[in-house]
Each structure stands twice: as C-alpha cells, then as structure tokens.
Amino acid sequence: MTDAVSYTLEGNLGVIRVNNPPVNALSHGVRSGMAEALTTAAEDTSEAVVILCEGRTFIAGADITEFGKPPKPPFLPDLLAQLDNHPKLTVAAIHGTALGGGFETALSCNYRVALASAKVGLPEVKLGLLPGAGGTQRTPRLAGIATAIDLMTSGNPIPAEAALQKGLIDHVARDNLAEEAIAYAKQLVADQAPKRQASAITLTLNESDRELISKARSNLAKKTRGESAPQRIIDCIEASAELDFDAGLKRERELFMACMEDPQSAALRHMFFAERAAAKIDSIDTSVEPAQVQRVGIIGAGTMGGGIAMCFAQAGIQVTLIDMSDEAVTAGISKIKANYDISVKRGRLSQDQVEAIMSQIKSSTHFEDLADADMVIEAVFENLAVKKEVFARLDTICKADAVLASNTSYQSIDDIAAATSRPESVLGMHFFSPANVMKLLEVVKGDKSSDRVIATAMAVGKRIGKTSVLSGMCYGFIGNRMLRPYAREAALCMMEGASPAQIDAAMEQWGMAMGPLAVGDLAGLDIGYKAREQLTDEQKGDPASYCVADRLVQAGRLGQKSGAGYYRYDPETRQRIADPDVDAIIDSCRQELGIAARAVSDEEIVDRLILALANEGARILEEGIAQRASDIDVVYCYGYGFPRHRGGPMHYVQARGLAWAVKRMTEFQQNLNQDNWSIAPLIANNAERGEAL
Ligand code: 3H9
C-alpha cells in the first residue's frame, strides 16, 4: 500500500497493518495507504477486515505536524466514510492509546477490541479543537450524552474496561491482541454478526440530557473561561441528537474548521510541541546517561520541603526529610499527613495508597543520614550564607556521585556550588509552591554543573511528573526574573489611575489564572518588602513601583495571611473585597510622588503587563539563559498561571506580530517611563527582518 500501511489476506480476513512510528499518527501516507487497503479489501475474498497497528500504540490521532499546512487528500472524514460504508465487516484492534482521529477510526469500524492495558480518548480539546472526523456524532450515539460530554470536554482518555462498560468498545483482549482480535473477527463472521454502524443509531434528547447539556455549558464557561473549543463541542453533541448523521457531520466539520482557524488552537498546538521540546537539551549529547535515583534527601521540612518530599514519595522514591529539630521534623511530617488526609477525604487516594506513600518518607535531624542518598535537595530559607553552610556540610557527608541541588528561587548556584569541593555535582532544582501540585520544575545550570547532573535532574523531573525546563544562571532564573517587570507595570498602572480590582480583573478576563496584585496578596507582601530592604535605592528602581506595597506592609497588611493586603479578605470564604483604605494609601503615594491619576484602559493594562513579560523573555533568550522561546512559554503556562490557550508570552507576542510589539513598546517609551521600555534587540531586529523569536 504505502510504507506506513500494509494489507494482507489471511484466510478469510483482510488485515490492515499501520506502521508509522512513533505513534502511528494519521499522516498523508497512512491515510492514503488505508484508503487503498480498504479498496482492495472491498474487492477481494476477505469476509472481514481487521485494523491493527505496529509499535507502541494504535493510531494516536491526526498528524498534528500537518495542521496549518495545505491539506492533501484523502481527507480523514472521507477515509472514515469509506470505512463506515465498507461492504465487509470491520474490526479495530486497539493497544496503547487510541486517541483523537485514531479513536474516530475505531469508532467507524463495526466492532472494537482493545487490550486491557489500552486507553481510548478524544483529546482534541487540549489542542483547541474538537473531534473532526465523526467523533462528536458517533460517541453520543454509542455511549450517551453524559459520557460524550465528559470524554470530549475533558480530553482525558479512559481505560479499556471503562470503555467497554460505556459501550465504546465491544471486547477486552487479555493477552495477545493480534491473535485475540483475529479470533474475534473470525467468530463474528462465523456467527454472521450484523454490520453495526454507530452512524445508523438515532439519538433523541430527553429532559435530563437537556439539563446535562445546559449544565455543561455553564460549568465550562467558568472552568475553561475564554476557550472556544469546549463550547463548540457541546454544540456538536446537541447536533448529534437534533440533526441526522450526515447533517451532524456537516455541522461538526464547520465547527472543526472554525477551531482550526482560531488562534487558540495554534497556541495550544504550540504548547503541545513546546512541552516536548523543553525536555530536550541541545548542548547535551544523547549518550549522556542520567544517574539512577533511588534515595533522595530533602533538607528543610517546611511547606516547600514537605511538598517536594510528597512528589518523590508518590513516585516510589525513598525520601529522608531533614530539619534542625525534632519539632520541625514532626511538624513537617504532620503537614504532609494532613495534605494526604484531604486527598483521602476527596477520594483522590485510598488510605492504603497513602500508607504506602508515607512509608517511603523517613525523617531525621542528622545530615549523616544522607550518606547514601543519590540526590539531595536543599529547601531551607532564602539566605545565601545558610545555603552555603548546608552545601559545605553535604560535601563532607554525601557519596561522591550524589547530585546536590538547591531549591533556591534567586540565589547564585555558582556561589552555592563554590562552598563544595565538587561544583560539577551542584545545580538548582526550583520547584513552585505548592510543590506537590505545581507542574513546573526549573532545572538551573550553574557554571560548572556537569551534563550528567543536568540530565539526571531532567530525568528525575519527568519521573515525578513535572514538566522541567532548563534555565541558565541569572537573578530569578527564567520565571521570577520576568515577574519583576510584570509586577512593576502592574504597580505603575495602579499609581497612574487603575484600581487593584481593575488591574486584576483585566488580567483575569484576558486569561491569567489570577491577577498580579491578588497573587501578591497570596504569596505575602512581606516577602518582596524584606527583599527590598537588602537593596540600594538604585537597585530598587522607580519608587512608584513599590511605594504602595511598602505602605501596605508597614500598615500590617501582609496579604491573605493577615486578612488584608491590596484587598480585604472575607475570613470565611477568603473572597477578596475592594478596600477604600487601600485607595487612600494609593492616593497618598500619588501625592507624594507627584503622579496625577488618569483613566487607564483594560487594553493598556494587558498590553503593558504582557509586553513587559515578553520583552524580558527576549533578553533572557539573547543571553542564552533559556534554550528556546517555547521553553519560556512552558515556564509561564506551568508555573505562573498564564493561559495555555494564549500559548505563553513569547508565542502570544509572536502571533500578534513583532512589528505590533515594537510599535506598542515605542508608544510606551514615548508616553511612560522611558527607562522601563527599552526594546530588547532580539524583538527589534527580528521584527525588522520578519523572523520568529
Ligand atoms: C485529531 O486527531 C483531529 C481529528 O479529530 C480530526 C482530524 C480531521 N501527531 O508525547 P510523546 C509525537 S487531533 C504528530 O513524547 P508519550 C510527539 O511530538 C490529534 N506527532 O510520547 C513526539 O515527538 P518527538 C489528537 C505526534 O509516549 C513523539 O510523537 N491526538 C502526535 O509520552 C512521542 O510523543 C492527540 O492529541 C500526533 N498526533 O505519549 C494525541 N502525537 O519525539 C497527542 C505524538 O519528536 N499525543 N506525536 O518529540 C499524545 O497525547 C501523546 O503523544 C501520546 C504518547 C499519549 C500518544
């Protein structure tokens, strides 16, 4: 047929084998090979056709690398119409993950057999798309409205057994898929089983279905705020009952194309590849083997250390949690237990699972207990002298090939490494709070960190379920360094006339998980205050960027933990409430610094904050701190609540146009503080050359 598809007549069965590594995506070669195989099977002596895949998985979907390029026939919907209307009985044999267009291929067969370990799903929503090859029409017909909504709007795959119960597959194979699927197909032929077609089922909506649909719409409007694909999926599900199959397919096609043309899908597809690219380190040879990590030591049993311990224990890695006193260690372990109690209460983990996880965590007050640790992560408070002392002690205790990592957010890894006799073994592993929840891990390369140590940290990050991004050494690394100009612009917008509520609402409406001032309140305003106390006036920068924050802290308003910061907080619900006292503080700062309030539009707020991020991101790229622009996008989407459907700050600015970015920043240069808006040469030059970042 083609290199990717073969067809053989085996007795009374036609067997189509797809072999398109790594995930058997439905590239042009696969589609045309399958079309040809189906044509052959229609005309030969086969009585049934089985579709099998080679390698690690059944078809994992359309080939995402082909999206945005000129489409080449045969198109998937046409191929699946050929499959649906095939004269022979058709059976899909599923292993690995049948996803998206892959599962739609299976749904277009008369019967589906899946290995018990297989999963099936329609993850298109995660790419800003909807199942565009009949999935939105066949799924509700086979499994009902509720399952269709769950499967397509969550995008999460379900195991074979669950799919069987929901009517999405017909048989679970226990051992050898190829053999069992072929035997199953032969039996169907022998039994003269009917040619079942999902497309032939008529669906009607009852009152409870209508209620489900309307509830899903309003829940999704909150949960996936600003995203268009989830709502379009609901439109398609409605169409599956209100229109006949062909008209439903037509509606699905229209809405699929609308998604394809939507910048949200381009952003989400960018994120798909960005996440995978982030795992690759260009400067390290693929022959460098990461070290085996079985035992990890964590120093500091506070919130951060405890959260990190949970990540490792959950991945089955033994943890020794160290702190200075028995009280500190006991408090740390109790906090971890309390976190797991909540997970049990919410049904996320069973008591047995929690006990198994807790059995991986030992505690101690003796550094000597780290002598056999493969990796040690220091999570003590942000003080260079203390960290250096910790690393000097580790140097005398840990085995020669142990990886020594600091969870610092700002300190120099090189200074910390210099406290040891083995700087090549030292690097940063910057977790985000709460460490057991947040997906991002910044792996920070010191001047002397060895390739092996970096490869080990990246591999461990993957093992504990983090999305890891490599950062070079600079103050704040990638994420926190960019946060400074972002926070500065938020403060300046406030001084120029916007209220905290306006700024936060503008950013949240745009898609940020939380506005910048609300984030300040959540993190604690005293942290920045204490950090500023160490700086000279020159280092602190424009007083307008911190005057209000200083006053709030001096008034005892430290943020959520003290019940008030930029807002007051309802003690019961923690809801934020605008506070006239804060308006008065802002007014007095304006008077002191001679700033006249003006109307600041939401558009100006968003443009200033996002361009401040991207401009700093471009400098980070110029300096080689980040390997690639997409790594910065991963940092912001996974660590800072940046909306994935905007693709991260670098993608957003790139997609909007670097020429636009230059024009807008030039306006800011002219109208605002000029020093804050010097345009990163990478943006200016690439805009001029018409090149991507
Ligand atoms: C769709 O189907 C639309 C239809 O409804 C309608 C059409 C008309 N295409 O993740 P991994 C690459 S939309 C191209 O590291 P894992 C991936 O980039 C699609 N390439 O492995 C990586 O490349 P590299 C719906 C793809 O074992 C390599 O394969 N389907 C595709 O951790 C290995 O991937 C989806 O959204 C693809 N579809 O996970 C499924 N998928 O090595 C998306 C993967 O160069 N895929 N690659 O970095 C996945 O969820 C995971 O890749 C999967 C394997 C679970 C399959």
Side-chain angles (χ1 to χ4, degrees):
M1 299 293 123
T2 60
D3 284 351
V5 180
S6 69
Y7 175 76
T8 45
L9 187 61
E10 299 177 15
N12 65 343
L13 294 188
V15 181
I16 298 177
R17 286 190 174 82
V18 178
N19 186 8
N20 183 29
V23 298
N24 287 317
L26 286 156
S27 60
H28 175 252
V30 172
R31 296 194 307 276
S32 50
M34 283 182 68
E36 216 178 303
L38 288 172
T39 304
T40 307
E43 287 158 8
D44 67 16
T45 55
S46 61
E47 293 180 84
V49 178
V50 178
I51 302 177
L52 272 167
C53 290
E54 309 281 358
R56 67 202 224 207
T57 181
F58 190 76
I59 301 164
D63 186 338
I64 310 170
T65 59
E66 287 183 356
F67 290 172
K69 295 183 188 155
K72 277 206 255 172
F75 304 119
L76 189 59
D78 298 335
L79 173 68
L80 298 193
Q82 184 186 2
L83 182 58
D84 196 7
N85 298 311
H86 202 270
K88 311 286 171 68
L89 198 96
T90 51
V91 178
I94 299 169
H95 74 293
T97 42
L99 299 177
F103 189 43
E104 291 174 297
T105 303
L107 291 173
S108 307
C109 290
N110 301 129
Y111 294 88
R112 287 158 288 285
V113 180
L115 205 54
S117 57
K119 287 187 173 177
V120 301
L122 294 164
E124 285 86 344
V125 70
K126 296 186 182 179
L127 300 170
L129 296 172
L130 50 88
T136 66
Q137 303 304 294
R138 290 189 175 93
T139 310
R141 282 176 163 82
L142 286 169
I145 297 291
T147 299
I149 291 175
D150 274 0
L151 206 63
M152 290 191 269
T153 63
S154 75
N156 296 330
I158 56 170
E161 199 59 54
L164 179 72
Q165 275 159 27
K166 291 176 188 302
L168 288 168
I169 63 165
D170 306 286
H171 179 72
V172 175
R174 296 288 151 196
D175 193 16
N176 184 323
L177 177 70
E179 267 175 25
E180 288 188 48
I182 285 174
Y184 182 79
K186 285 194 166 154
Q187 193 59 51
L188 290 172
V189 172
D191 295 346
Q192 297 186 322
K195 267 186 68 56
R196 292 197 326 209
Q197 284 174 289
S199 57
I201 299 169
T202 305
L203 195 65
T204 47
L205 294 181
N206 59 30
E207 214 28 63
S208 87
D209 290 331
R210 287 190 196 287
E211 218 169 277
L212 272 177
I213 286 177
S214 112
K215 243 196 210 143
R217 272 199 199 289
S218 57
N219 287 344
L220 287 165
K222 281 184 229 136
K223 217 173 117 196
T224 58
R225 180 167 35 100
E227 289 182 51
S228 41
Q231 298 292 341
R232 287 177 176 147
I233 286 172
I234 304 291
D235 291 346
C236 289
I237 293 175
E238 246 175 349
S240 73
E242 284 167 357
L243 305 175
D244 67 30
F245 185 75
D246 288 340
L249 276 188
K250 207 167 151 238
R251 181 87 184 113
E252 177 192 85
R253 193 78 202 144
E254 283 162 14
L255 292 172
F256 179 79
M257 292 316 293
C259 285
M260 262 302 200
E261 282 152 23
D262 196 319
Q264 290 186 6
S265 176
L268 286 162
R269 281 182 269 134
H270 161 77
M271 287 311 297
F272 177 85
F273 290 113
E275 283 151 26
R276 281 152 184 84
K280 294 172 185 139
I281 299 179
D282 295 339
S283 62
I284 298 186
D285 197 282
T286 44
S287 64
V288 174
E289 280 283 322
Q292 290 296 319
V293 175
Q294 317 281 12
R295 278 178 291 271
V296 168
I298 294 165
I299 303 175
T303 311
M304 206 63 198
I308 299 171
M310 290 168 78
C311 300
F312 281 94
Q314 280 160 216
I317 300 172
Q318 284 176 31
V319 175
T320 304
L321 187 60
I322 304 264
D323 213 312
M324 301 291 280
S325 65
D326 287 334
E327 294 74 46
V329 164
T330 311
I333 296 283
S334 307
K335 182 97 193 284
I336 294 174
K337 277 203 184 114
N339 275 334
Y340 282 129
D341 284 346
I342 297 172
S343 303
V344 172
K345 229 184 241 163
R346 294 191 179 154
R348 283 200 220 112
L349 288 173
S350 70
Q351 195 56 46
D352 284 354
Q353 283 172 314
V354 166
E355 273 158 31
I357 294 168
M358 287 306 295
S359 72
Q360 301 279 356
I361 307 178
K362 284 191 301 182
S363 59
S364 166
T365 52
H366 306 292
F367 271 45
E368 287 69 21
D369 289 338
L370 300 179
D372 65 349
D374 304 307
M375 171 179 267
V376 178
I377 300 173
E378 162 277 310
V380 304
F381 56 92
E382 283 291 346
N383 179 303
L384 185 59
V386 177
K387 287 185 190 282
K388 284 170 90 166
E389 212 180 295
V390 167
F391 274 76
R393 274 188 80 188
L394 289 175
D395 193 26
T396 63
I397 289 163
C398 293
K399 59 183 188 181
D401 59 352
V403 174
L404 306 182
S406 172
N407 176 52
T408 179
S409 315
Y410 290 99
Q411 307 293 344
S412 159
I413 298 300
D414 298 331
D415 287 351
I416 295 171
T420 72
S421 62
R422 41 172 138 172
E424 70 285 356
S425 299
V426 179
L427 85 172
M429 286 176 74
H430 180 209
F431 290 80
F432 288 70
S433 187
N436 52 314
V437 177
M438 297 295 286
K439 289 273 287 176
L440 181 64
L441 173 66
E442 274 182 328
V443 171
V444 188
K445 180 182 179 329
D447 204 23
K448 299 203 169 123
S449 314
S450 73
D451 287 355
R452 179 184 147 277
V453 157
I454 295 162
T456 304
M458 295 294 289
V460 157
K462 186 165 185 194
R463 203 164 144 206
I464 63 174
K466 300 295 175 201
T467 300
S468 308
V469 175
L470 183 70
S471 171
M473 191 48 234
C474 64
Y475 186 77
F477 317 135
I478 296 174
N480 283 344
R481 171 168 160 185
M482 288 166 66
L483 206 54
R484 290 187 81 189
Y486 174 79
R488 176 200 72 211
E489 286 308 308
L492 294 180
C493 285
M494 185 171 65
M495 290 294 282
E496 289 163 34
S499 68
Q502 185 198 350
I503 294 166
D504 284 338
M507 296 312 293
E508 286 165 12
Q509 189 57 37
W510 186 80
M512 295 299 289
M514 209 182 211
L517 303 166
V519 167
D521 275 359
L522 181 68
L525 301 178
D526 50 327
I527 297 175
Y529 184 83
K530 279 187 199 137
R532 278 193 296 279
E533 279 183 329
Q534 322 275 325
L535 302 178
T536 61
D537 280 351
E538 201 191 335
Q539 286 168 328
K540 283 199 236 174
D542 183 354
S545 65
Y546 58 83
C547 173
V548 174
D550 274 5
R551 289 285 183 81
L552 291 171
V553 174
Q554 285 152 7
R557 304 180 67 118
L558 310 185
Q560 282 201 27
K561 62 185 163 192
S562 68
Y566 285 105
Y567 300 90
R568 266 189 307 115
Y569 289 87
D570 183 304
E572 300 275 296
T573 61
R574 287 213 195 156
Q575 212 183 334
R576 57 193 202 222
I577 303 159
D579 189 344
D581 290 353
V582 175
D583 297 338
I585 291 175
I586 297 170
D587 266 342
S588 92
C589 285
R590 281 185 193 134
Q591 275 173 23
E592 200 173 289
L593 296 170
I595 298 170
R598 64 178 171 91
V600 182
S601 69
D602 289 358
E603 187 191 2
E604 179 180 337
I605 292 169
V606 171
D607 287 355
R608 282 172 67 175
L609 270 64
I610 301 301
L611 282 168
L613 275 182
N615 203 36
E616 194 64 28
R619 290 189 198 288
I620 283 173
L621 262 182
E622 279 163 14
E623 293 166 25
I625 301 291
Q627 291 191 93
R628 43 186 95 81
S630 62
D631 282 7
I632 298 175
D633 292 332
V634 172
V635 166
Y636 261 76
C637 290
Y638 279 105
Y640 295 85
F642 198 98
R644 283 169 56 83
H645 66 275
R646 301 252 188 210
M650 309 314 283
H651 172 85
Y652 175 75
V653 165
Q654 178 76 53
R656 198 135 178 210
L658 294 185
W660 165 80
V662 169
K663 181 169 166 282
R664 200 73 176 114
M665 287 196 277
T666 308
E667 285 163 16
F668 296 155
Q669 258 175 16
Q670 285 157 1
N671 303 328
L672 306 168
N673 180 331
Q674 205 174 353
D675 293 344
N676 291 341
W677 287 105
S678 80
I679 301 173
L682 187 69
I683 293 188
N685 295 339
N686 288 24
E688 209 172 294
R689 291 197 290 258
E691 283 175 16
L693 287 174

